[in-house]
Amino acid sequence: MDIAVTRIGLPCPVRVAASDGTTVWCAVPGGLRAYTASGTFLRDISLRDALPVRQPLPDALPDALPEDGPAQELHGGGPRVSLKKGDAREGFLTTGDTLEGGVFPAGPELRSLAAVPGTVSGTAGVPGTLAETVVVPRSFAGQAPASPLSAANPLSRGTLAATTGDRVLWFGAGPPAQAPFDGRVVAGGGEIWAVGDGLARRLIGPGRLGEPVELPGLDRCAVEGERLWWTSRHDTLLRGGPDEVDLGEGERGAMAVCAGSVWISARGGLRRVSAWSGEPRRFVGTPEGPVPFLVCANGVLVGGGRDLFALSPATGVLRVIELGLDAPLGLLIAAGKHVWAFPAGRPEALVVT
């Protein structure tokens, strides 16, 4: 089957995005922009009212900034910020205000996004066996109460989480739930973890984080449900499985869990470790490596830095996907059977199917 690449325009370059397999959320100034996994626009979601924030003043400011008294009203499209009394001296803007001489975006700047689909209790195929947890598309998981995210892309019982400043946010019905944490969110295997500098905590419910897990010198990590695989800057070991695995010397790139294995990008290819037993598997050569991005799209491992390669672990077939970019990728995410590639600094995305 041929690989198709579709280019879609975005309102701005995107550095933060996530997908639960059916919906893709892209962070934009002041909120989120939602798409189907194949690239059809759904809607814009404003977070400015739900998450009022103060942000630093832009580097270049108009000369006639009023330090006292009301800010002058401006007219123009997009979110607006104003200079409240004393803010010029403090160096901050407040959501919803305006500045003389220009319009500046306001609202929460999301540092990371992660999403997982809803889960339902299903019965195994053999009569008399115990029920098991089945990950299903969000559209089959049931309708959630009304929320800012539910009109065109229902949140259902899945989870969409983000980090901004020193907080983790859970999006759902009503205002986002929050918990203090300085780091990013990472998803995999139906779970989301908050990962910071040498520390990780699993998201166990809206506004609730699990017990902290120490990760000294954290370098890379990959989530596999309630298990977190990780490497440290201090040594060459892969941790998280039944036993530590020595990956050997050499530069390491991205890490992902896919098709029952942990994959670590290295020079000339991929190191592979069984996610079941923790035992090393054979080295797999790739056109480039180490690469900054690896994602798992419906059991197919996709990675790269400018162009992409796709590896089917079941068959061992590896294909090269030429994107024809003159700039490196800034972000790569899986969205069901699709992969979204975001060129660094460009207001566009390439949807690979």
Side-chain angles (χ1 to χ4, degrees), residues 120-208:
V120 297
S121 180
T123 302
V126 180
T129 57
L130 296 175
E132 60 184 3
T133 297
V134 181
V135 176
V136 298
R138 193 176 298 281
S139 56
F140 295 103
Q143 181 70 38
S147 78
L149 296 172
S150 65
N153 49 322
L155 205 58
S156 300
R157 296 186 180 89
T159 301
L160 175 64
T163 54
T164 179
D166 58 354
R167 296 171 291 167
V168 178
L169 308 172
W170 286 255
F171 296 111
Q178 304 183 27
F181 191 90
D182 188 4
R184 59 194 173 98
V185 283
V186 184
E191 298 284 348
I192 299 177
W193 286 69
V195 180
D197 185 12
L199 180 73
R201 303 181 70 178
R202 189 166 62 89
L203 278 61
I204 59 176
R208 297 168 55 214

Coordinates of all heavy atoms in Angstrom, one line a residue, residues 120-208:
V120 N -13.1 0.7 28.6 CA -14.3 0.0 29.0 C -14.0 -1.4 29.5 O -13.0 -1.9 29.2 CB -15.4 0.0 27.9 CG1 -15.8 1.3 27.4 CG2 -14.8 -0.8 26.7
S121 N -14.9 -1.9 30.3 CA -14.7 -3.3 30.8 C -15.3 -4.2 29.7 O -16.5 -4.2 29.5 CB -15.4 -3.5 32.1 OG -15.2 -4.8 32.6
G122 N -14.5 -5.1 29.1 CA -15.0 -6.0 28.1 C -14.8 -7.4 28.6 O -14.0 -7.7 29.5
T123 N -15.5 -8.4 28.0 CA -15.4 -9.8 28.3 C -14.5 -10.5 27.3 O -14.6 -10.3 26.1 CB -16.8 -10.4 28.3 OG1 -17.6 -9.7 29.2 CG2 -16.7 -11.9 28.7
A124 N -13.6 -11.2 27.8 CA -12.7 -12.0 26.9 C -13.5 -13.0 26.1 O -14.6 -13.3 26.4 CB -11.7 -12.7 27.8
G125 N -12.9 -13.4 25.0 CA -13.6 -14.2 24.0 C -14.0 -15.6 24.5 O -14.8 -16.2 23.9
V126 N -13.4 -16.1 25.5 CA -13.7 -17.5 26.0 C -14.7 -17.4 27.1 O -14.5 -16.7 28.1 CB -12.4 -18.2 26.5 CG1 -12.8 -19.6 27.0 CG2 -11.4 -18.2 25.4
P127 N -15.9 -18.1 27.0 CA -16.9 -18.1 28.0 C -16.3 -18.5 29.4 O -15.6 -19.4 29.5 CB -18.0 -19.1 27.6 CG -17.8 -19.1 26.1 CD -16.3 -18.9 25.8
G128 N -16.7 -17.7 30.4 CA -16.3 -18.0 31.8 C -15.0 -17.3 32.2 O -14.6 -17.4 33.3
T129 N -14.4 -16.6 31.3 CA -13.1 -16.0 31.6 C -13.4 -14.6 32.2 O -14.5 -14.1 32.1 CB -12.2 -15.7 30.4 OG1 -13.0 -15.0 29.4 CG2 -11.8 -17.1 29.8
L130 N -12.4 -14.0 32.9 CA -12.6 -12.8 33.6 C -12.7 -11.6 32.6 O -12.2 -11.7 31.5 CB -11.5 -12.5 34.5 CG -11.3 -13.5 35.7 CD1 -10.1 -13.2 36.5 CD2 -12.6 -13.4 36.6
A131 N -13.4 -10.5 33.0 CA -13.4 -9.3 32.2 C -12.0 -8.7 32.1 O -11.2 -8.9 33.0 CB -14.4 -8.3 32.8
E132 N -11.8 -8.0 31.0 CA -10.5 -7.4 30.8 C -10.8 -5.9 30.4 O -11.8 -5.6 30.0 CB -9.7 -8.1 29.8 CG -10.3 -8.1 28.4 CD -9.5 -8.9 27.4 OE1 -8.5 -9.4 27.7 OE2 -10.0 -8.9 26.2
T133 N -9.7 -5.1 30.6 CA -9.8 -3.7 30.2 C -9.5 -3.5 28.8 O -8.4 -4.0 28.3 CB -8.9 -2.8 31.1 OG1 -9.4 -2.9 32.4 CG2 -9.0 -1.3 30.6
V134 N -10.3 -2.9 28.0 CA -10.1 -2.8 26.6 C -10.0 -1.3 26.2 O -10.9 -0.5 26.6 CB -11.3 -3.4 25.8 CG1 -11.0 -3.3 24.3 CG2 -11.4 -4.9 26.2
V135 N -9.0 -0.9 25.5 CA -8.8 0.5 25.1 C -9.6 0.7 23.8 O -9.4 -0.1 22.8 CB -7.4 0.9 24.9 CG1 -7.2 2.3 24.3 CG2 -6.6 0.7 26.2
V136 N -10.5 1.6 23.8 CA -11.4 1.8 22.6 C -11.3 3.2 22.2 O -10.9 4.1 22.9 CB -12.9 1.5 23.0 CG1 -13.0 0.0 23.4 CG2 -13.4 2.4 24.1
P137 N -11.7 3.5 20.9 CA -11.7 4.9 20.5 C -12.7 5.7 21.3 O -13.7 5.2 21.9 CB -12.3 4.8 19.0 CG -11.9 3.4 18.6 CD -12.0 2.6 19.8
R138 N -12.3 7.0 21.5 CA -13.1 7.9 22.4 C -14.6 7.9 22.0 O -15.4 8.0 22.9 CB -12.5 9.3 22.3 CG -12.9 10.2 23.4 CD -12.2 11.5 23.4 NE -10.8 11.4 23.6 CZ -10.2 11.2 24.7 NH1 -10.9 11.2 25.8 NH2 -8.9 11.1 24.8
S139 N -14.9 7.8 20.7 CA -16.2 8.0 20.3 C -17.1 6.8 20.7 O -18.3 6.9 20.7 CB -16.3 8.1 18.7 OG -15.6 7.0 18.1
F140 N -16.5 5.7 21.1 CA -17.2 4.5 21.6 C -17.3 4.4 23.1 O -17.9 3.5 23.6 CB -16.6 3.2 21.0 CG -16.7 3.1 19.5 CD1 -15.6 3.4 18.7 CD2 -17.9 2.8 18.9 CE1 -15.7 3.3 17.4 CE2 -18.0 2.7 17.5 CZ -16.9 3.0 16.7
A141 N -16.7 5.3 23.8 CA -16.5 5.2 25.2 C -17.6 5.9 26.0 O -17.7 5.9 27.2 CB -15.2 5.8 25.7
G142 N -18.6 6.5 25.3 CA -19.7 7.1 26.0 C -19.5 8.6 26.1 O -18.4 9.1 26.1
Q143 N -20.6 9.3 26.1 CA -20.6 10.8 26.1 C -20.4 11.4 27.5 O -21.0 11.0 28.5 CB -21.9 11.3 25.6 CG -22.0 12.8 25.5 CD -21.1 13.4 24.4 OE1 -21.0 12.8 23.3 NE2 -20.5 14.5 24.6
A144 N -19.5 12.3 27.6 CA -19.2 13.0 28.9 C -20.2 14.1 29.1 O -20.8 14.6 28.1 CB -17.8 13.5 28.9
P145 N -20.3 14.7 30.3 CA -21.1 15.9 30.5 C -20.5 17.0 29.6 O -19.4 17.0 29.2 CB -20.9 16.2 32.0 CG -20.5 14.9 32.6 CD -19.7 14.1 31.5
A146 N -21.4 18.0 29.4 CA -21.0 19.1 28.6 C -19.7 19.8 29.1 O -19.6 20.0 30.3 CB -22.1 20.2 28.4
S147 N -18.8 20.2 28.2 CA -17.6 20.8 28.6 C -17.1 21.6 27.4 O -17.6 21.5 26.3 CB -16.5 19.8 29.0 OG -15.9 19.2 27.9
P148 N -16.1 22.5 27.6 CA -15.6 23.3 26.5 C -15.0 22.4 25.4 O -14.8 22.9 24.3 CB -14.4 24.1 27.2 CG -14.8 24.2 28.6 CD -15.5 22.9 28.9
L149 N -14.7 21.2 25.7 CA -14.1 20.3 24.7 C -15.1 19.3 24.0 O -14.7 18.5 23.2 CB -12.9 19.5 25.3 CG -11.7 20.2 25.9 CD1 -10.8 19.3 26.7 CD2 -11.0 20.9 24.7
S150 N -16.3 19.4 24.4 CA -17.2 18.3 24.1 C -18.1 18.5 22.9 O -18.8 17.6 22.4 CB -18.1 17.9 25.3 OG -18.9 19.0 25.6
A151 N -18.1 19.7 22.3 CA -19.1 20.0 21.3 C -18.8 19.2 20.0 O -19.7 18.6 19.5 CB -19.1 21.5 21.0
A152 N -17.6 19.3 19.5 CA -17.3 18.7 18.3 C -16.3 17.5 18.4 O -16.1 16.7 17.5 CB -16.7 19.7 17.3
N153 N -15.7 17.4 19.6 CA -14.7 16.3 19.8 C -14.9 15.9 21.3 O -14.1 16.2 22.1 CB -13.3 16.8 19.6 CG -13.0 18.1 20.2 OD1 -13.8 19.0 20.3 ND2 -11.8 18.3 20.8
P154 N -15.9 15.0 21.6 CA -16.2 14.7 22.9 C -15.0 14.1 23.7 O -14.3 13.2 23.1 CB -17.3 13.7 22.8 CG -17.2 13.1 21.4 CD -16.7 14.3 20.6
L155 N -14.9 14.5 24.9 CA -13.8 14.0 25.8 C -14.1 12.6 26.3 O -13.2 11.8 26.6 CB -13.5 14.9 26.9 CG -12.1 14.9 27.5 CD1 -11.1 15.2 26.4 CD2 -12.0 15.9 28.6
S156 N -15.4 12.3 26.5 CA -15.9 11.0 27.0 C -15.1 10.7 28.3 O -14.9 11.5 29.1 CB -15.7 9.9 25.9 OG -16.5 10.2 24.8
R157 N -14.8 9.4 28.4 CA -14.1 9.0 29.7 C -12.6 8.9 29.5 O -11.9 8.4 30.4 CB -14.7 7.6 30.1 CG -16.1 7.7 30.5 CD -16.6 6.4 31.1 NE -18.0 6.4 31.5 CZ -19.0 6.1 30.7 NH1 -18.7 5.7 29.4 NH2 -20.3 6.2 31.1
G158 N -12.1 9.3 28.4 CA -10.7 9.4 28.2 C -10.1 10.6 29.0 O -10.8 11.2 29.7
T159 N -8.8 10.8 28.8 CA -8.1 11.9 29.5 C -7.3 12.7 28.5 O -6.5 12.2 27.7 CB -7.2 11.3 30.6 OG1 -8.0 10.5 31.5 CG2 -6.5 12.4 31.3
L160 N -7.4 14.0 28.6 CA -6.5 14.9 28.0 C -5.9 15.8 29.0 O -6.6 16.4 29.8 CB -7.3 15.8 27.0 CG -6.5 16.9 26.3 CD1 -5.4 16.4 25.4 CD2 -7.4 17.9 25.5
A161 N -4.6 15.8 29.1 CA -3.9 16.5 30.2 C -2.8 17.4 29.5 O -2.4 17.2 28.4 CB -3.2 15.5 31.1
A162 N -2.4 18.4 30.3 CA -1.4 19.3 29.8 C -0.6 19.8 31.0 O -0.9 19.6 32.2 CB -2.0 20.5 29.1
T163 N 0.5 20.4 30.7 CA 1.3 21.2 31.7 C 1.4 22.6 31.3 O 1.6 22.9 30.1 CB 2.7 20.6 32.0 OG1 3.4 20.5 30.7 CG2 2.6 19.2 32.6
T164 N 1.3 23.5 32.2 CA 1.6 24.9 32.0 C 2.2 25.5 33.2 O 1.6 25.3 34.3 CB 0.3 25.7 31.6 OG1 0.5 27.0 31.4 CG2 -0.8 25.5 32.6
G165 N 3.3 26.2 33.1 CA 3.9 26.8 34.3 C 4.3 25.6 35.2 O 5.0 24.7 34.8
D166 N 3.9 25.6 36.4 CA 4.2 24.6 37.4 C 3.0 23.8 37.8 O 2.8 23.3 38.9 CB 4.8 25.2 38.7 CG 3.9 26.2 39.3 OD1 2.8 26.5 38.8 OD2 4.2 26.7 40.4
R167 N 2.1 23.5 36.8 CA 0.9 22.8 37.1 C 0.6 21.7 36.0 O 1.0 21.9 34.9 CB -0.3 23.8 37.0 CG -0.3 24.8 38.1 CD -1.5 25.8 37.9 NE -1.2 26.6 36.7 CZ -2.1 27.4 36.1 NH1 -3.3 27.4 36.6 NH2 -1.8 28.1 35.0
V168 N 0.0 20.6 36.5 CA -0.6 19.7 35.5 C -2.1 20.0 35.5 O -2.8 20.2 36.5 CB -0.4 18.2 36.0 CG1 -1.1 17.2 35.1 CG2 1.1 17.9 36.1
L169 N -2.7 19.9 34.3 CA -4.1 20.2 34.1 C -4.8 19.0 33.5 O -4.3 18.4 32.6 CB -4.3 21.4 33.1 CG -3.5 22.7 33.4 CD1 -3.6 23.6 32.2 CD2 -4.0 23.3 34.7
W170 N -6.0 18.7 34.0 CA -6.9 17.7 33.5 C -8.1 18.4 32.8 O -8.8 19.2 33.5 CB -7.4 16.8 34.6 CG -6.5 15.8 35.1 CD1 -6.5 14.5 34.9 CD2 -5.5 16.0 36.1 NE1 -5.5 13.9 35.7 CE2 -4.8 14.8 36.4 CE3 -5.0 17.2 36.7 CZ2 -3.8 14.7 37.3 CZ3 -4.0 17.1 37.6 CH2 -3.4 15.9 37.9
F171 N -8.3 18.2 31.5 CA -9.4 18.8 30.8 C -10.6 17.8 30.8 O -10.5 16.6 30.6 CB -9.1 19.1 29.4 CG -8.0 20.2 29.3 CD1 -6.7 19.8 28.8 CD2 -8.2 21.5 29.7 CE1 -5.7 20.8 28.7 CE2 -7.2 22.4 29.6 CZ -6.0 22.1 29.2
G172 N -11.8 18.4 31.1 CA -13.0 17.6 31.1 C -14.2 18.5 31.3 O -14.2 19.7 30.9
A173 N -15.2 18.0 32.0 CA -16.4 18.9 32.2 C -16.0 20.0 33.3 O -15.4 19.7 34.3 CB -17.5 18.0 32.8
G174 N -16.4 21.2 33.0 CA -16.1 22.3 34.0 C -14.7 22.8 33.8 O -14.0 22.4 32.9
P175 N -14.3 23.6 34.8 CA -12.9 24.1 34.8 C -11.9 23.0 34.9 O -12.2 22.0 35.5 CB -12.9 25.1 36.0 CG -14.3 25.3 36.3 CD -15.1 24.1 35.9
P176 N -10.7 23.1 34.3 CA -9.7 22.1 34.4 C -9.3 21.8 35.8 O -9.1 22.8 36.6 CB -8.5 22.7 33.5 CG -9.2 23.7 32.7 CD -10.3 24.3 33.4
A177 N -9.2 20.6 36.2 CA -8.6 20.2 37.5 C -7.1 20.4 37.4 O -6.5 20.3 36.3 CB -8.9 18.7 37.8
Q178 N -6.5 20.7 38.5 CA -5.1 21.1 38.6 C -4.3 20.4 39.7 O -4.9 20.1 40.7 CB -4.9 22.6 38.7 CG -5.6 23.4 37.7 CD -5.4 24.9 37.8 OE1 -4.3 25.3 38.3 NE2 -6.3 25.7 37.3
A179 N -3.0 20.2 39.5 CA -2.2 19.7 40.6 C -0.8 20.3 40.3 O -0.4 20.5 39.2 CB -2.1 18.2 40.6
P180 N -0.1 20.7 41.4 CA 1.2 21.3 41.2 C 2.3 20.2 40.7 O 2.4 19.1 41.3 CB 1.6 21.8 42.6 CG 0.8 20.9 43.6 CD -0.5 20.6 42.8
F181 N 3.0 20.6 39.7 CA 4.0 19.7 39.1 C 4.8 20.5 38.1 O 4.2 21.1 37.2 CB 3.5 18.4 38.5 CG 4.6 17.4 38.2 CD1 5.0 16.5 39.2 CD2 5.2 17.4 37.0 CE1 6.0 15.6 38.9 CE2 6.2 16.5 36.7 CZ 6.6 15.6 37.7
D182 N 6.1 20.5 38.1 CA 6.9 21.2 37.2 C 7.5 20.2 36.2 O 8.5 19.4 36.6 CB 8.0 22.0 37.9 CG 8.8 22.9 36.9 OD1 8.4 22.9 35.7 OD2 9.8 23.5 37.4
G183 N 7.0 20.1 35.0 CA 7.5 19.1 34.1 C 6.6 19.0 32.8 O 6.0 20.0 32.4
R184 N 6.5 17.8 32.3 CA 5.7 17.5 31.1 C 4.9 16.3 31.3 O 5.1 15.5 32.2 CB 6.6 17.4 29.9 CG 7.6 16.2 30.0 CD 8.7 16.3 28.9 NE 9.7 15.3 29.2 CZ 9.8 14.1 28.5 NH1 8.9 13.8 27.7 NH2 10.8 13.3 28.8
V185 N 3.9 16.1 30.4 CA 3.1 14.9 30.5 C 3.4 14.0 29.3 O 3.6 14.5 28.2 CB 1.6 15.2 30.5 CG1 1.2 15.7 31.9 CG2 1.2 16.3 29.5
V186 N 3.4 12.7 29.6 CA 3.8 11.7 28.5 C 2.8 10.6 28.6 O 2.4 10.1 29.7 CB 5.2 11.1 28.8 CG1 5.6 10.2 27.6 CG2 6.2 12.3 28.9
A187 N 2.2 10.1 27.5 CA 1.2 9.1 27.5 C 1.7 7.8 26.8 O 2.6 7.8 26.0 CB 0.0 9.6 26.7
G188 N 1.1 6.7 27.2 CA 1.3 5.4 26.6 C 0.6 4.3 27.3 O 0.5 4.3 28.5
G189 N 0.1 3.3 26.5 CA -0.6 2.2 27.1 C -1.8 2.5 27.9 O -2.1 1.8 28.9
G190 N -2.5 3.6 27.6 CA -3.7 4.0 28.3 C -3.5 4.8 29.6 O -4.4 5.0 30.3
E191 N -2.2 5.2 29.8 CA -1.9 5.9 31.1 C -1.1 7.2 30.7 O -0.5 7.2 29.6 CB -1.1 5.1 32.0 CG -1.8 3.8 32.5 CD -2.9 4.1 33.6 OE1 -2.9 5.2 34.1 OE2 -3.6 3.2 33.9
I192 N -1.2 8.2 31.6 CA -0.4 9.4 31.4 C 0.5 9.6 32.7 O 0.0 9.4 33.8 CB -1.3 10.6 31.2 CG1 -2.2 10.4 30.0 CG2 -0.5 11.9 31.1 CD1 -3.2 11.6 29.7
W193 N 1.7 10.0 32.5 CA 2.6 10.3 33.6 C 3.1 11.7 33.4 O 3.2 12.3 32.3 CB 3.9 9.4 33.5 CG 3.6 8.0 33.9 CD1 2.9 7.0 33.2 CD2 4.2 7.3 35.1 NE1 3.0 5.8 33.9 CE2 3.7 6.0 35.0 CE3 5.0 7.8 36.1 CZ2 4.1 5.1 36.1 CZ3 5.4 6.8 37.1 CH2 4.9 5.5 37.1
A194 N 3.3 12.4 34.6 CA 3.9 13.7 34.7 C 5.4 13.4 35.0 O 5.7 12.7 36.0 CB 3.3 14.5 35.7
V195 N 6.2 13.9 34.1 CA 7.7 13.6 34.2 C 8.4 15.0 34.4 O 8.2 15.9 33.6 CB 8.2 12.9 33.0 CG1 9.7 12.6 33.1 CG2 7.4 11.6 32.8
G196 N 9.2 15.1 35.4 CA 10.0 16.3 35.6 C 11.5 16.0 35.7 O 12.0 14.9 35.2
D197 N 12.3 16.8 36.3 CA 13.7 16.6 36.4 C 14.0 15.6 37.5 O 14.1 15.9 38.7 CB 14.4 18.0 36.8 CG 15.9 17.9 36.8 OD1 16.4 16.9 36.3 OD2 16.5 18.8 37.3
G198 N 14.2 14.3 37.1 CA 14.5 13.3 38.0 C 13.4 12.7 38.8 O 13.6 12.0 39.8
L199 N 12.1 13.0 38.4 CA 11.0 12.6 39.2 C 9.8 12.4 38.2 O 9.6 13.1 37.2 CB 10.6 13.7 40.2 CG 9.4 13.4 41.1 CD1 9.8 12.4 42.1 CD2 9.0 14.7 41.8
A200 N 9.0 11.4 38.5 CA 7.8 11.1 37.7 C 6.6 10.7 38.7 O 6.8 10.1 39.7 CB 8.0 10.1 36.7
R201 N 5.4 11.1 38.3 CA 4.2 10.7 39.0 C 3.1 10.4 38.0 O 2.8 11.1 37.1 CB 3.7 11.8 40.0 CG 4.8 12.2 40.9 CD 4.3 13.3 41.9 NE 3.3 12.8 42.8 CZ 2.8 13.5 43.8 NH1 3.1 14.8 43.9 NH2 1.9 13.0 44.6
R202 N 2.4 9.3 38.2 CA 1.3 8.9 37.3 C 0.1 9.6 37.6 O -0.2 9.9 38.8 CB 1.1 7.4 37.4 CG 0.1 6.8 36.4 CD 0.2 5.3 36.3 NE -0.2 4.7 37.6 CZ -1.5 4.4 37.9 NH1 -2.4 4.6 37.1 NH2 -1.7 3.8 39.1
L203 N -0.7 10.1 36.6 CA -2.0 10.7 36.8 C -3.0 9.7 37.1 O -3.3 8.8 36.3 CB -2.4 11.5 35.5 CG -1.8 12.9 35.3 CD1 -0.2 12.8 35.2 CD2 -2.3 13.5 34.1
I204 N -3.6 9.7 38.3 CA -4.5 8.7 38.8 C -5.9 9.2 38.8 O -6.8 8.4 39.1 CB -4.1 8.1 40.1 CG1 -4.0 9.2 41.2 CG2 -2.7 7.4 40.0 CD1 -3.7 8.7 42.6
G205 N -6.2 10.4 38.6 CA -7.5 11.0 38.6 C -7.5 12.5 38.5 O -6.4 13.1 38.7
P206 N -8.6 13.2 38.1 CA -8.5 14.6 38.0 C -8.0 15.3 39.2 O -8.6 15.1 40.3 CB -10.0 15.0 37.7 CG -10.6 13.7 37.1 CD -9.9 12.6 37.8
G207 N -6.9 16.0 39.1 CA -6.3 16.7 40.2 C -5.5 15.8 41.2 O -5.0 16.3 42.2
R208 N -5.3 14.5 40.8 CA -4.6 13.6 41.7 C -3.4 13.0 41.0 O -3.5 12.5 39.8 CB -5.6 12.5 42.1 CG -6.7 13.0 43.0 CD -7.8 11.9 43.2 NE -7.2 10.7 43.7 CZ -7.6 9.5 43.5 NH1 -8.5 9.3 42.6 NH2 -7.0 8.5 44.0

